[in-house]
Amino acid sequence: METPNNYRAIVFGAGGLTGSHLIFNLSKDKRFSHIMAYTNSDFKNPPAGVTFRKTDIKNISIPLNTDVAFCTIGTTLKKAGNREKFEEIDMDLVIKIAEYCFNAGVKCFVYISSIGANPGSKNFYLKTKGKTEQKLLSFPFPTTIIVRPSLILGKRTETRIIEKIFKIIITPLSSLFIGKLLKYKPIKAEFLSKSMIGLFFGRQGHQIIECDELHLKAKSLL
């Protein structure tokens, strides 16, 4: 890695829930001198010092000497419209971005997957996430970090009915998620983003981080 206070980061999916928190946290972190953000939507109240660009898979430019790429891209089957479109966004686009990053010499690739991701799962969503993980781990990045959060809490621009129902049911029970159950505890997007940044500074090689570790990492950074 480079000398302190001169790290370079790029965020894909910066307009989403976790991506937006990542941008703000990176902009306040004095260890980062260059931050680039790709987003499909307009970013309200963008922080100073961040270069924003519209996501265009045919025209993605990865600055040389980028230390870390954070990929927070993800959608829902309902929003995508069908399974094919969902795979195009949640798997094909993510892999294409990873390819761009690897070819540009990015040192660390951090990706948000999902708790229960498994390429052999009967659940289409979890199967797609698992297949994406497999493909990402085939890239010989010096460091690849895959995080598997449980339900991500925060104010979204769109309404996700299933997530809203789970939030109503699970959030009041959060105090019961201890020990082995901690990996199932919902996590705030703000804490998830801080954990991802912390993991970049603390891990090397190929890593799959479950939600219990994310909670513990976030707690250590508070």
Side-chain angles (χ1 to χ4, degrees):
M1 293 184 181
E2 297 178 17
T3 55
N5 306 320
N6 196 32
Y7 291 104
R8 297 169 178 262
I10 186 168
V11 178
F12 293 93
L17 176 59
T18 306
S20 61
H21 281 285
L22 261 173
I23 289 302
F24 281 110
N25 286 324
L26 286 169
S27 69
K28 292 185 295 183
D29 194 320
K30 295 181 180 180
R31 292 171 294 186
F32 291 91
S33 60
H34 296 80
I35 305 165
M36 180 179 286
Y38 277 95
T39 175
N40 278 328
S41 56
D42 293 328
F43 199 97
K44 296 181 179 180
N45 303 316
V50 180
T51 301
F52 283 85
R53 293 185 178 179
K54 285 285 187 178
T55 304
D56 179 0
I57 195 63
K58 296 180 180 179
N59 189 30
I60 288 181
S61 175
I62 310 295
L64 295 178
N65 300 316
T66 295
D67 294 284
V68 56
F70 296 95
C71 185
T72 67
I73 289 175
T75 187
T76 62
L77 188 57
K78 180 180 179 180
K79 188 174 181 179
N82 56 58
R83 292 190 172 193
E84 184 177 306
K85 289 293 183 181
F86 178 83
E87 284 188 327
E88 286 180 5
I89 297 171
D90 264 53
M91 183 168 63
D92 298 342
L93 178 58
V94 171
I95 299 307
K96 193 65 179 177
I97 286 171
E99 183 180 343
Y100 278 120
C101 289
F102 177 73
N103 290 337
V106 173
K107 303 175 183 66
C108 175
F109 194 86
V110 185
Y111 167 67
I112 295 183
S113 182
S114 170
I115 184 172
N118 184 342
S121 175
K122 293 182 179 180
N123 179 285
F124 176 73
Y125 178 85
L126 298 179
K127 181 177 182 178
T128 302
K129 290 294 186 182
K131 288 166 63 178
T132 303
E133 288 185 358
Q134 276 190 331
K135 292 185 178 183
L136 287 177
L137 292 173
S138 70
F139 285 96
F141 286 104
T143 301
T144 301
I145 299 173
I146 294 173
V147 297
R148 291 177 173 174
S150 180
L151 179 66
I152 303 174
L153 303 177
K155 188 176 181 180
R156 296 183 183 274
T157 56
E158 84 249 14
T159 300
R160 296 185 177 184
I161 300 300
I162 295 179
E163 287 189 6
K164 189 173 183 179
I165 294 173
F166 271 101
K167 181 178 178 180
I168 294 172
I169 297 173
I170 294 178
T171 302
L173 303 175
S174 290
S175 61
L176 301 178
F177 290 91
I178 57 177
K180 293 182 179 180
L181 295 178
L182 185 59
K183 68 183 293 185
Y184 301 102
K185 182 179 180 179
I187 186 168
K188 292 182 178 180
E190 177 186 359
F191 296 157
L192 173 57
S193 64
K194 289 180 178 179
S195 294
M196 292 168 70
I197 296 171
L199 287 167
F200 160 62
F201 286 107
R203 300 296 179 95
Q204 294 183 343
H206 288 183
Q207 304 275 335
I208 294 180
I209 311 298
E210 300 289 353
C211 200
D212 52 349
E213 292 187 67
L214 296 173
H215 281 293
L216 295 174
K217 187 65 180 179
K219 186 176 181 180
S220 71
L221 296 171
L222 295 179

